[in-house]
Amino acid sequence: MTIYESLGLKKVINASGKMTALGASAVKKEVAEYMAQAAQEYVEIDSLIDKAGEIISSYTQAEDACVTLGAAAGIAISVAACITKGNMKLAEQLPNSEGMQNEIIIQKGHSVNFGAPIVQMVSLGGGRPIEVGQANKTESFHIEGAINEKTAALLFIKSHHTVQKGMVSFQAMADIAHRHNLPLIVDAAAEEDIKKYYQQGADLVIYSGGKAIGGPTSGFICGKRELISWCKKQYKGIGRAMKASKESIMGLLKAIELYVNEDNHAIALENKQKMEKLAQNLADLKNINVSIKQDEAGREIYRAEIKIDEKAAKITAYEIIEKLKCGNPSIYVRDHYANLGIISIDPRNLKEKDDEIIADRLHEILEGITNA
C-alpha cells in the first residue's frame, strides 16, 4: 500500500509524463534521503540560496542561478527582476507596476495554459503581457513593432503546449532582444538540456526541478549574474509567497547531480523499448493502431501513440481515458490529441509491470465494447 492509499486515495499509474497535476516526479531514494537530512537541520537561507546558485551554475555554465519553488514562480520572479532592476523600492510595489517599464512581449502562439495561463505568471511578476502576431503565425516584425520605451523583456516559451509551427525561432528572438538591448527570458521548464539556451543567447532561463531533472517541487533560473542578483532580491517582495524550503533546495541539488551524470540517451532508448513491448501487447486489439512517436517538442522522449477508430470501436478516446482514470489503480494517460482519437502513453514514470496493467486494462475496455 502506498502512503497515499493509506489516506484513502486511489493508487495512480502515471502514463502521462512529468505532470504537475500528478506530482511531477517520483524522486530517487538518494534525493529523498538528502531531503530528509536537510529537513532536520538549520541553515541560513540566504547563504543556501547563494551556494545553491553557485553549484547549479557549475552544471549550467551560466554566470549564476536562483532557486525557485518551480518554473511558474521562475517566470514571475524573472519578470519582476527585469522590471525592477534591483531597485527594492520598486520591488516592494509589485505586482503594482504602474508607471514602470513593465511590458513583456510574448508570441501569441506561446500564450498557452500549462495548468494556469502563462500570462498570469507574467502579471504576478508585475508584467503587462503584450501578445504579438497570430495564434498560428508570428514574424519578427510583429515583435520589433511592439518594442517601445515601456518594454522590459521578451519572453520565449519552449514547451509542447505551444504552437510548434509558424513562430519566431528562439535564435531569431534572441537576436531581436540583443539588438534592442533587452533581456530575453526563456521558459524551458521541462527541457532536458540545461546548458543550451543560455549558451545560445538567453539572458535568463527557467527550469523546473520536478520535470526532466527528476527532483522535488522546485526550480531554478540561470543566467547573467546581474539579472540573477535582481531575481534573488524578489524574495524580499513577491518571491516571499513563492519561497522554496531548505529541503526542496537540497533535494534539487542532489537531483541535478544525479541527472547530469546519467546516460539520458540510454534511458530514452530503454523507455522506447518499453513502449515497443506495450505496442506488441496491444497488437491483437481491433480498431486501434499503435505506433511509437517522438515528443512533438523535439525532446528525446518516445511514447506509444494509440489511434482509435472511434466509429468501428464504438467508443471515443475521451471515453477510454475516463474509464482508465476511474479504475483502481487509476491510470492517467496523455490526452493532448484525444480530439483526434489519439491516446499517448509516456513511459518515463512507469514502474515495473505498469505497462502490463495498462495493456490489460485496454484489453478489458476495448474487448468489453466489442463483446457487448
Side-chain angles (χ1 to χ4, degrees):
M1 176 181 289
T2 69
I3 193 169
Y4 299 112
E5 287 178 283
S6 72
L7 300 177
L9 302 172
K10 277 198 294 188
K11 179 180 177 179
V12 168
I13 291 177
N14 180 3
S16 184
K18 303 293 184 81
M19 308 299 287
T20 300
L22 298 178
S25 293
V27 302
K28 291 184 170 69
K29 181 181 179 182
E30 301 97 313
V31 174
E33 290 174 347
Y34 214 60
M35 292 177 70
Q37 291 177 45
Q40 297 175 75
E41 301 290 346
Y42 295 99
V43 66
E44 186 180 76
I45 296 297
D46 285 350
S47 297
L48 176 59
I49 289 172
D50 286 339
K51 176 56 72 172
E54 179 185 320
I55 293 169
I56 291 168
S57 295
S58 71
Y59 298 125
T60 65
Q61 302 302 302
E63 292 178 9
D64 199 0
C66 174
V67 292
T68 67
L69 187 58
I75 295 172
I77 288 171
S78 295
V79 166
C82 291
I83 291 171
T84 60
K85 298 179 173 61
N87 185 322
M88 279 308 303
K89 183 177 183 298
L90 297 181
E92 287 186 350
Q93 291 179 221
L94 297 182
N96 179 2
S97 61
E98 186 176 351
M100 300 181 200
Q101 186 180 356
N102 64 357
E103 293 185 358
I104 307 296
I105 296 174
I106 181 173
Q107 300 182 67
K108 194 173 289 291
H110 285 193
S111 181
V112 295
N113 187 304
F114 62 98
I118 284 281
V119 292
Q120 187 173 45
M121 303 306 109
V122 173
S123 297
L124 283 173
R128 182 183 168 216
I130 305 296
E131 298 180 19
V132 299
Q134 288 82 44
N136 66 338
K137 184 68 173 177
T138 301
E139 298 190 57
S140 295
F141 71 83
H142 289 122
I143 296 168
E144 300 215 57
I147 294 173
N148 59 54
E149 69 280 358
K150 296 282 287 180
T151 305
L154 274 56
L155 175 60
F156 185 93
I157 311 298
K158 178 62 179 175
S159 168
H160 68 275
H161 291 293
T162 63
V163 176
Q164 300 297 313
K165 297 189 297 182
M167 296 295 104
V168 174
S169 70
F170 159 74
Q171 197 59 65
M173 207 159 178
D175 291 343
I176 293 169
H178 298 154
R179 190 160 61 247
H180 290 270
N181 198 31
L182 290 166
L184 174 62
I185 303 168
V186 176
D187 172 22
E191 289 298 291
E192 299 167 321
D193 191 330
I194 60 174
K195 296 179 181 179
K196 174 180 174 181
Y197 295 100
Y198 178 74
Q199 290 178 340
Q200 293 183 2
D203 299 287
L204 291 172
V205 190
I206 301 154
Y207 293 93
S208 169
K211 298 292 176 67
I213 292 167
T217 299
S218 59
F220 62 90
I221 310 161
C222 64
K224 300 285 180 63
R225 183 169 284 105
E226 183 178 39
L227 274 66
I228 292 295
S229 73
W230 298 347
C231 289
K232 291 177 182 178
K233 286 189 174 183
Q234 305 312 311
Y235 282 115
K236 307 298 182 185
I238 62 158
R240 181 70 179 179
M242 310 170 192
K243 60 185 184 292
S245 67
K246 60 185 186 293
E247 57 269 23
S248 290
I249 295 171
M250 294 303 286
L252 171 64
L253 294 181
K254 176 55 73 173
I256 295 176
E257 176 192 329
L258 297 173
Y259 178 72
V260 299
N261 289 304
E262 285 178 335
D263 186 342
N264 293 302
H265 176 65
I267 292 170
L269 293 181
E270 182 181 333
N271 284 332
K272 185 179 181 182
Q273 289 172 356
K274 285 183 187 176
M275 294 298 91
E276 289 168 346
K277 177 187 172 187
L278 176 65
Q280 291 172 2
N281 287 340
L282 298 175
D284 60 328
L285 281 174
K286 297 177 181 178
N287 305 319
I288 70 167
N289 179 64
V290 186
S291 57
I292 309 300
K293 294 292 180 70
Q294 188 173 354
D295 175 64
E296 57 267 56
R299 295 172 295 174
E300 195 174 16
I301 303 168
Y302 298 95
R303 303 185 180 97
E305 185 177 281
I306 304 169
K307 179 72 171 72
I308 297 108
D309 183 341
E310 296 181 335
K311 187 174 181 180
K314 298 180 181 178
I315 189 171
T316 68
Y318 285 112
E319 289 170 328
I320 294 172
I321 289 166
E322 193 59 30
K323 286 178 179 292
L324 290 170
K325 283 183 185 178
C326 290
N328 194 4
S330 180
I331 300 172
Y332 280 77
V333 296
R334 290 177 79 84
D335 60 2
H336 298 72
Y337 299 106
N339 62 308
L340 301 176
I342 294 171
I343 296 170
S344 294
I345 308 295
D346 190 304
R348 291 174 295 165
N349 290 339
L350 295 182
K351 297 184 177 181
E352 188 177 1
K353 296 190 180 300
D354 278 355
D355 58 324
E356 296 176 15
I357 295 172
I358 293 168
D360 288 345
R361 186 74 64 77
L362 285 169
H363 273 89
E364 178 185 319
I365 293 168
L366 290 164
E367 288 173 351
I369 295 294
T370 301
N371 297 329

